Amino acid sequence: MAEFDPEKFEDKYANYFTELQRAYKNAFETMRESYDSDLVHAIDQFVLNESEPFYEDGEFRIELPDDPVARLEGSGVPVSEETIHAALDDYTAAIRAELRRIFGLDAGE
């Protein structure tokens, strides 16, 4: 487990690249248990590839690129907008949970 420093997270790709990769990979595996594999892959490739994790006020948040639904419409995965929004909510929650776990920030909960 990496020791977490909020100031170092500002340059996250230089300081925590491996941990970020692990969090996204673990979240991907978690999502595959609950959602169609094609949808999970499409979200990973068309939306999360341009997402940005931030740490603010003691919490992680994942900023998605503009109009993620439109990005997925070009993926060829037939799914409703409602399902896309639910999957995106669950996926970003899984990433945040993985980041908290990897950095040992769940110890007090």
Side-chain angles (χ1 to χ4, degrees):
M1 177 178 358
E3 186 174 328
F4 183 72
D5 180 341
E7 288 184 24
K8 284 185 176 181
F9 201 77
E10 290 178 20
D11 193 10
K12 61 193 142 277
Y13 299 112
N15 296 311
Y16 295 120
F17 186 74
T18 302
E19 292 82 1
L20 290 169
Q21 281 186 313
R22 187 175 333 127
Y24 274 71
K25 182 179 185 272
N26 291 350
F28 177 86
E29 294 302 325
T30 298
M31 289 297 293
R32 288 182 56 203
E33 296 172 8
S34 303
Y35 287 91
D36 176 77
S37 180
D38 290 336
L39 174 60
V40 175
H41 280 281
I43 290 172
D44 185 59
Q45 293 177 351
F46 293 99
V47 178
L48 293 180
N49 66 333
E50 293 187 28
S51 68
E52 188 74 26
F54 292 95
Y55 185 78
E56 299 170 336
D57 301 323
E59 294 293 327
F60 288 102
R61 72 175 172 83
I62 308 301
E63 187 174 294
L64 299 176
D66 290 338
D67 207 355
V69 173
R71 290 170 170 270
L72 290 173
E73 287 173 352
S75 71
V77 177
V79 63
S80 72
E81 189 170 325
E82 182 178 316
T83 300
I84 291 171
H85 285 292
L88 286 170
D89 288 347
D90 289 347
Y91 212 145
T92 56
I95 294 168
R96 290 191 314 269
E98 284 297 324
L99 288 168
R100 284 190 309 271
R101 186 188 66 75
I102 287 169
F103 289 117
L105 301 177
D106 281 339
E109 294 180 7

